[in-house]
Amino acid sequence: GCGLVLPDELQGCSVLDLGCGAGRDVYVLSALVGEDGSVVGVDMTPSQLEVANKHIDFHAKAFGYKTANTSFKLGYIEKLGELGLADASFDVVVSNCVINLSPDKDS
């Protein structure tokens, strides 16, 4: 990645990570949004999401959360409408050097 750029205050926010890969930034964001916030990662690579999903419970426990505040969706960032994400449901959208990898840049 190129580095994660974030707003100063994320506590309680709902964040969407486009092109989350194995979830590293999702888990950083998970700690920053706190137990009342949430983070959804989207990636088009099943093997990356397999790694990301393996660490959900570990991070929830490490951060002291009763339940995980993270989830992952398999899909293309150009086709978010196909992933069951509600319109206007995120406070912040991040992408760590992934939009350039989009196979459908016109979308």
Side-chain angles (χ1 to χ4, degrees):
C2 299
L4 185 59
V5 178
L6 306 169
D8 290 333
E9 182 56 46
L10 288 174
Q11 188 69 32
C13 286
S14 178
V15 179
L16 177 63
D17 182 1
L18 301 176
C20 66
R24 179 189 303 183
D25 291 348
V26 168
Y27 292 119
V28 169
L29 289 159
S30 172
L32 295 173
V33 301
E35 193 167 14
D36 294 329
S38 64
V39 186
V40 176
V42 173
D43 202 271
M44 65 181 188
T45 312
S47 60
Q48 292 283 352
L49 291 181
E50 183 180 339
V51 172
N53 278 302
K54 286 181 183 179
H55 301 288
I56 290 175
D57 291 335
F58 170 85
H59 284 90
K61 184 177 179 182
F63 299 147
Y65 300 164
K66 291 179 186 173
T67 59
N69 66 350
T70 56
S71 63
F72 297 94
K73 301 244 182 216
L74 176 64
Y76 291 92
I77 63 174
E78 309 94 321
K79 298 179 181 181
L80 295 175
E82 297 177 0
L83 301 181
L85 303 171
D87 289 345
S89 60
F90 296 98
D91 302 304
V92 178
V93 178
V94 299
S95 180
N96 187 346
C97 288
V98 127
I99 294 174
N100 62 311
L101 301 175
S102 168
D104 185 5
K105 290 179 181 43
D106 291 334
S107 291

